[in-house]
Amino acid sequence: MTAPLPTLSPEGERAFVRTTCAYCGVGCGIAATVTGERSVEIKGDPDHPANRGRLCSKGTQLGETVGLEGRLLHPMIGEARVSWDKAIDHVARRFARTIAEHGPDSVAFYVSGQLLTEDYYVANKLMKGFIGSANIDTNSRLCMSSAVAGHVRAFGEDVVPASYGDIDQADLFVLVGSNTAWCHPIVYQRMMAAREARGAKLVVIDPRRTETCEGADVHLAIRPGSDVALMNGLLAHCRREGAIDPDFIDASVSVPDGFWEALEDGGDLWSVARTCDVPPADLKRFYDLFVANPRTITLFSQGINQSLTGTDQVNAITNLHLATGRIGKPGAAPFSITGQPNAMGGREVGGLATTLAAHMDFAPENVARVGRFWAAERMAAKPGLKAVDLFRQVGNGKIKALWIMATNPAVSMPDAGAVRAALAACPFVAVSDCIADTDTGRFAHVRLPALGWGEKDGTVTNSERRVSRQRALFAAPGEARPDWWIVASVARRMGWRSAFSYDRPADIYREHARLSTYQNGGARLFDIGHHAAIANADYEAMEPYRWGGTPFAEGRFPTPDGKARLVPVVQRPLAPPLKDWPFTLNTGRYRDQWHTMTRTGLSPRLARHRQEPLVELHPADAAALGIAQGDLARVATPQGESVFRAHLDEGQRRGEAFVPIHWTDRQSTGGRAGLLPRDLVDPHSGQPGFKATPARVERVAAEWRGFLITDTLPDTIPSLYATRIRVPQGWLVELAGGGDPAKLIARLLPAGSRVETSDPARGQRRVAVLAEGRLRAAIYIARSGTLPAREWLIEQLCAPEPASAMALLAGRPATPRADRGPIVCACFDVGMKTIAAAIADDGLVSVEQVGAALSAGTNCGSCRPAIQRLIAGAQQAAHG
Ligand SMILES: Nc1nc2c(c(=O)[nH]1)N[C@H]1C(S)=C(S)[C@@H](COP(=O)(O)OP(=O)(O)OC[C@H]3O[C@@H](n4cnc5c(=O)[nH]c(N)nc54)[C@H](O)[C@@H]3O)O[C@H]1N2
Ligand SMILES: Nc1nc2c(c(=O)[nH]1)N[C@H]1C(S)=C(S)[C@@H](COP(=O)(O)OP(=O)(O)OC[C@H]3O[C@@H](n4cnc5c(=O)[nH]c(N)nc54)[C@H](O)[C@@H]3O)O[C@H]1N2
Ligand code: SF4
Ligand SMILES: [Mo]
């Protein structure tokens, strides 16, 4: 039942394992050397086709995240530790009783693209085949459901028609709503390599000037939500310029009546430039590049999907590729890049409430086919509730038992405040997670300890449909179990013994492969029948493989007439800003954090890239609000509010604000982006419009500011603003508040002997706590004046000998040293100020030169766009 463990070397301490990264949908292969009970050396797997040995900053630092800190290690009912037997019995009974009293639709599962395919398959089978409801939805609803809906409308099946190999052959990359440099760094590096090798061109379409734009030929900072106008305008332009492929359309694409006529309406360059609010010359450059380069990949992500018109935006892109015949050919495809490590595997098993299994939908013949295959006792016959509706039904009491696996909806759902209220009111909530204390886990009646990355064993599928193995590096900690085992155990306890009698992931994988080919007859592209009888040993040794080949290469599509479809889509009118909510709030990711930070938050190195949640504002907007760089600012929406550190950035459009999604109740009282978005969704996909919420921004006048470094984190930090990150041997907590901080200081500091100083005139207080010859904590509070730099103080937590009391209270070493500034290169710990100084003093003009001088950017490469930006900034400053 548990994963086969790596065999240690004769010395008993090193074992080599090939596995797949825990994070994004790029799906990089990892070559891991296990060096101890919970320690591992991480390298990129040179033989994995997705990354050929490369890893980004997050993958590189995986070794810092494999400790057992914060883990949930035993089943818990309430706060009581219970046996697995009791926990499984409890969950099975509560579900069975709820179903008996209120019917199958009164229960639901909410699952995740971070489950393995085997886990996902079992959960989906239990809900759709045996409980008899399709109320299983997944966080992928928040992630790529608009792409799924768009693919089905255009191609007839949810197939991503691209592969990474296409990147090596394309001449033009159009990145729409994707911060690839931060979110899919290895794909970005591959595009950069194509640029260097062959002069491939890059166009970025994003309202923000992200680091992805550093390598771009054209950046179009379009008005948010104007993507349809942009793409329709381009299609009209292609038609005028003769870039349409009439032969391909004749043979392979059905065009609805009036499609072209509707397109020409307002499709001229000037109108489009006005609608999208971009310089016509830049727009023209993009359009000309597109016409000139048939080998185009249009890569899109959340700026497209997470919109109230996400599905239409996806189809505006597929229309372009279909009409120009840029699909099913080398280097040409629309490419919906997946976010989570197994978002694609979730699509294969049909983990969305609106799909069935193995790429089938709820058409009666499919329901019958899957029901036959599963020998299902009670087959769901219609789609279930999509995530936002699902939580609404939890809130209004229709869903009375909910099981959440591998996702943190109390943070990541839109209007998370309402989701919390729903969870609090739900009669029964079970949560399977690796972590003991999550914002969602706090609402659980039962918490089930799941294996995490490095322990679990199974398969994942990446953005290019490549199936790879995740393998165990370590023994299961405590009583943690694989998700598939937990679900199958509950299913058996509910009475379905033979349907859920799996002994190992390979058993499930074989069944999944058999279903994919069962009465398929070429109707569905997803067919991995060659693995229907794979032997256990072959499953263990499985090499990464891609299914589907080059989809649509013959110009045939999985629709009844074999043709793809152009879908008429029109630009939704863009409403002017609201009087009370004049800002458009955009939310997204940081380079070195993953979602709610349950894993990346453990890594001190990753923490250094962004130490606080920032609200990014255009300097002119900030000035109008009286907000200066580094001030605190409250971001409020009709759903909720939270306080962030203000960061002024000209790369932000006027009237827009950007905040990161990563900070949670566990990390902070501030920076809580999840409370802000509204729960409106795209009508076709049900995906929320996370990228544009009407909002208000205002300055927060904190009476004092400060920070704490500590080896023991206090339970709660009751202050206006408190955000924490991991540092070696402890935490850094940034603070701000009102009133007298004395009580708070007393509460935050651990036991030990204290040295302190105060300066009443500036309202400054500094206290350091020492015990057993080490620094345990230090706090610095000021009503005015400056605070010491954090870096040297953080190091003192690990110092074998504490610095002098005077130095600690001064907050700097006796002999001062240079401030490195925020860390740009996480691999070599190189700060922004160090790089800027080298650029200025040594006249460095390229990322390579900076690398040669400082090593920065020469390992994982994630920071290369940031270095490029510093160089560009210096050059701009030099040339006035
Ligand atoms: N470092 C890191 N990497 C990750 C993740 C992570 O948490 N951290 N998560 C993974 C997951 S699950 C996902 S889904 C992906 C997400 O990857 P991305 O989609 O690349 O990331 P986001 O930051 O959510 O948003 C992308 C961009 O969309 C832009 N945008 C906003 N509105 C619009 C619009 O109207 N039009 C256009 N064209 N663009 C717009 C935003 O400004 C933002 O820069 O990342 C994956 N990779
Ligand atoms: N405002 C705003 N909100 C967003 C987004 C946005 O751009 N803006 N993006 C959305 C998107 S695209 C996504 S994908 C979601 C992500 O949001 P979530 O899925 O809520 O975020 P995670 O932090 O990845 O949550 C995963 C949880 O599963 C646990 N876990 C990890 N591995 C395992 C495992 O193997 N088994 C079990 N049982 N548990 C495990 C982790 O400890 C963690 O608690 O956020 C969405 N929400
Ligand atoms: S790009 Fe980075 S986070 Fe994504 S799979 Fe590769 S190493 Fe992991
Ligand atoms: Mo995602």
Side-chain angles (χ1 to χ4, degrees):
M1 174 219 77
T2 41
L5 284 176
T7 333
L8 297 187
S9 68
E11 309 85 67
E13 48 192 12
R14 293 176 81 82
F16 182 72
V17 184
R18 290 173 68 210
T19 182
T20 311
C21 180
Y23 302 114
C24 83
V26 178
C28 295
I30 282 181
T33 308
V34 182
T35 52
E37 204 178 318
R38 297 288 308 185
S39 62
V40 60
E41 279 168 21
I42 299 287
K43 289 217 159 54
D45 180 352
D47 297 326
H48 197 291
N51 58 315
R52 305 224 175 278
R54 296 194 145 272
L55 292 176
C56 79
S57 48
K58 292 178 296 299
T60 302
Q61 306 304 339
L62 268 168
E64 280 200 337
T65 69
V66 296
L68 293 179
E69 182 180 321
R71 284 294 295 267
L72 177 65
L73 294 174
H74 305 282
M76 307 286 286
I77 299 183
E79 285 314 310
R81 182 176 155 180
V82 299
S83 67
W84 266 115
D85 193 52
K86 192 150 181 204
I88 282 166
D89 202 57
H90 191 77
V91 176
R93 265 172 211 270
R94 288 301 302 246
F95 268 84
R97 196 168 83 203
T98 309
I99 294 162
E101 283 174 12
H102 304 282
D105 287 333
S106 67
V107 302
F109 295 167
Y110 183 59
V111 303
S112 161
Q114 291 169 73
L115 292 173
L116 301 175
T117 299
E118 291 76 2
D119 305 325
Y120 228 136
Y121 179 90
V122 176
N124 194 50
K125 178 178 178 182
L126 172 57
M127 185 52 85
K128 289 181 184 152
F130 291 80
I131 289 176
S133 166
N135 284 346
I136 171 171
D137 210 39
T138 143
N139 62 0
S140 291
R141 180 70 61 193
L142 319 178
C143 187
M144 48 55 178
S145 60
S146 295
V148 173
H151 288 159
V152 171
R153 287 206 298 190
F155 312 140
E157 182 178 346
D158 172 32
V159 172
V160 175
S163 74
Y164 299 153
D166 288 318
I167 295 176
D168 308 335
Q169 306 190 54
D171 298 318
L172 172 66
F173 303 106
V174 182
L175 309 187
V176 203
S178 162
N179 188 5
T180 331
W182 281 13
C183 296
H184 299 92
I186 298 302
V187 160
Y188 187 73
Q189 291 183 14
R190 200 150 167 173
M191 292 188 287
M192 288 297 117
R195 215 169 133 64
E196 248 154 61
R198 303 192 316 280
K201 298 282 188 271
L202 178 67
V203 176
V204 180
I205 298 157
D206 191 316
R208 290 193 303 149
R209 197 164 81 86
T210 61
E211 279 184 8
T212 300
C213 305
E214 287 313 314
D217 297 278
V218 183
H219 168 216
L220 296 173
I222 60 167
R223 193 196 307 270
S226 64
D227 296 85
V228 170
L230 183 77
M231 297 300 166
N232 279 355
L234 175 53
L235 187 49
H237 181 80
C238 288
R239 195 149 177 258
R240 289 192 293 266
E241 300 292 317
I244 301 295
D245 185 339
D247 297 341
F248 184 76
I249 294 180
D250 262 3
S252 304
V253 184
S254 69
V255 186
D257 290 343
F259 179 86
W260 296 113
E261 292 69 22
L263 199 64
E264 289 297 343
D265 252 11
D268 69 284
L269 209 111
W270 297 100
S271 322
V272 175
R274 215 171 23 246
T275 307
C276 299
D277 190 27
V278 293
D282 290 354
L283 186 68
K284 175 102 177 15
R285 270 194 77 204
F286 166 44
Y287 283 9
D288 289 345
L289 279 172
F290 194 90
V291 167
N293 290 287
R295 291 189 172 209
T296 304
I297 294 180
T298 306
L299 188 146
F300 60 96
S301 185
Q302 301 314 344
I304 287 295
N305 294 340
Q306 285 174 345
S307 157
L308 302 185
T309 52
T311 307
D312 282 357
Q313 292 174 175
V314 170
N315 285 121
I317 293 171
T318 56
N319 286 348
L320 261 173
H321 278 265
L322 289 169
T324 53
R326 300 179 186 188
I327 191 165
K329 297 178 186 134
F335 196 171
S336 149
I337 183 154
T338 49
Q340 298 177 90
N342 200 29
M344 190 67 87
R347 284 147 103 151
E348 293 160 10
V349 305
L352 289 159
T354 38
T355 55
L356 190 45
H359 279 212
M360 283 177 268
D361 59 11
F362 282 92
E365 66 277 14
N366 290 335
V367 173
R369 184 181 306 113
V370 177
R372 247 189 332 271
F373 179 84
W374 279 341
E377 288 204 357
R378 187 153 40 169
M379 195 58 208
K382 59 172 198 325
L385 295 166
K386 301 181 187 120
V388 168
D389 290 332
L390 191 153
F391 278 96
R392 279 201 196 118
Q393 300 274 34
V394 173
N396 68 25
K398 293 210 173 105
I399 288 180
K400 299 173 200 304
L402 175 66
W403 189 352
I404 297 166
M405 303 172 206
T407 176
N408 200 351
V411 183
S412 56
M413 284 289 294
D415 197 358
V419 167
R420 285 156 185 248
L423 289 170
C426 186
F428 183 70
V429 179
V431 171
S432 302
D433 207 290
C434 318
I435 299 296
D437 182 19
T438 66
D439 288 12
T440 299
R442 291 178 182 185
F443 296 96
H445 300 99
V446 178
R447 278 173 298 151
L448 303 165
L451 295 186
W453 184 86
E455 299 146 7
K456 47 187 191 174
D457 177 47
T459 55
V460 291
T461 311
N462 73 2
S463 289
E464 59 160 356
R465 286 169 279 109
R466 188 177 299 278
V467 181
S468 299
R469 293 276 278 113
Q470 267 197 24
R471 296 187 172 91
L473 311 173
F474 309 116
E479 292 182 278
R481 293 283 183 275
D483 286 290
W484 65 262
W485 179 91
I486 304 173
V487 178
S489 300
V490 167
R492 286 197 300 268
R493 197 67 57 98
M494 289 176 81
W496 298 299
R497 301 206 66 83
S498 63
F500 293 90
S501 64
Y502 309 109
D503 289 329
R504 53 175 65 77
D507 294 342
I508 303 163
Y509 180 80
R510 278 187 289 267
E511 183 177 314
H512 168 59
R514 271 194 289 125
L515 175 54
S516 77
T517 199
Y518 178 68
Q519 298 174 354
N520 184 334
R524 289 165 270 123
L525 280 177
F526 175 63
D527 186 337
I528 54 168
H530 64 291
H531 279 164
I534 189 172
N536 290 342
D538 294 336
Y539 178 80
E540 292 318 330
M542 187 196 291
E543 286 292 318
Y545 74 93
R546 275 179 72 223
W547 60 262
T550 305
F552 318 140
E554 276 83 51
R556 300 281 305 163
F557 292 84
T559 52
D561 61 2
K563 287 184 170 187
R565 305 174 197 112
L566 293 186
V567 182
V569 289
V570 289
Q571 174 63 47
R572 158 186 60 111
L574 295 166
L578 301 172
K579 194 170 127 290
D580 292 335
W581 311 100
F583 277 85
T584 301
L585 179 68
N586 183 1
T587 57
R589 291 154 171 83
Y590 280 168
R591 187 189 84 189
D592 287 356
Q593 293 297 346
W594 177 264
H595 300 163
T596 68
M597 297 208 236
T598 54
R599 180 173 279 279
T600 46
L602 298 172
S603 163
R605 267 180 197 278
L606 293 180
R608 306 192 51 179
H609 176 243
R610 288 284 181 278
Q611 300 198 321
E612 281 181 276
L614 307 175
V615 50
E616 288 170 48
L617 297 166
H618 189 279
D621 284 336
L625 295 164
I627 295 173
Q629 176 79 2
D631 278 356
L632 293 180
R634 178 176 293 110
V635 181
T637 69
Q639 293 70 242
E641 57 175 58
S642 198
V643 175
F644 298 78
R645 180 81 61 196
H647 179 76
L648 314 191
D649 187 343
E650 308 231 336
Q652 197 62 32
R653 282 174 57 98
R654 293 282 320 256
E656 281 166 42
F658 177 85
V659 296
I661 60 174
H662 307 294
W663 274 263
T664 69
D665 273 5
R666 290 181 68 247
Q667 270 84 252
S668 60
T669 56
R672 304 285 326 290
L675 304 174
L676 304 174
R678 53 190 172 175
D679 66 356
L680 300 183
V681 299
D682 175 279
H684 306 284
S685 65
Q687 179 154 357
F690 279 124
K691 295 291 188 255
T693 308
R696 191 162 58 214
V697 181
E698 62 203 15
R699 183 167 181 272
V700 177
E703 290 173 32
W704 52 261
R705 304 161 297 119
F707 68 92
L708 163 76
I709 53 166
T710 177
D711 67 1
T712 333
L713 197 66
D715 276 350
T716 55
I717 304 178
S719 75
L720 167 72
Y721 178 81
T723 62
R724 74 170 209 225
I725 54 155
R726 200 77 173 83
V727 299
Q729 312 285 328
W731 285 266
L732 165 66
V733 184
E734 293 289 336
L735 293 163
D740 184 358
K743 262 214 200 109
L744 182 71
I745 293 175
R747 180 182 177 144
L748 295 184
L749 291 176
S753 63
R754 297 180 178 205
V755 290
E756 52 193 294
T757 169
S758 64
D759 172 355
R762 292 207 198 115
Q764 293 211 354
R765 284 201 57 192
R766 298 177 171 194
V767 188
V769 181
L770 297 118
E772 292 164 15
R774 299 178 73 96
L775 178 68
R776 289 206 61 194
I779 191 164
Y780 302 78
I781 302 283
R783 285 183 187 273
S784 65
T786 53
L787 290 161
R790 318 294 191 258
E791 187 174 333
W792 176 78
L793 283 164
I794 289 170
E795 285 168 20
Q796 301 315 304
L797 277 181
C798 314
E801 301 251 315
S804 73
M806 210 167 75
L808 285 175
L809 293 175
R812 56 179 141 58
T815 33
R817 45 177 221 198
D819 173 11
R820 295 188 292 177
I823 294 300
V824 172
C825 171
C827 295
F828 294 107
D829 248 348
V830 189
M832 192 165 84
K833 291 191 180 167
T834 314
I835 299 174
I839 292 171
D841 300 347
D842 306 337
L844 309 182
V845 295
S846 71
V847 177
E848 279 62 39
Q849 288 177 351
V850 171
L854 302 168
S855 297
T858 56
N859 184 42
C860 80
S862 287
C863 64
R864 293 171 64 91
I867 297 173
Q868 181 60 49
R869 175 165 288 190
L870 289 171
I871 294 170
Q875 286 169 344
Q876 212 172 28
H879 301 133

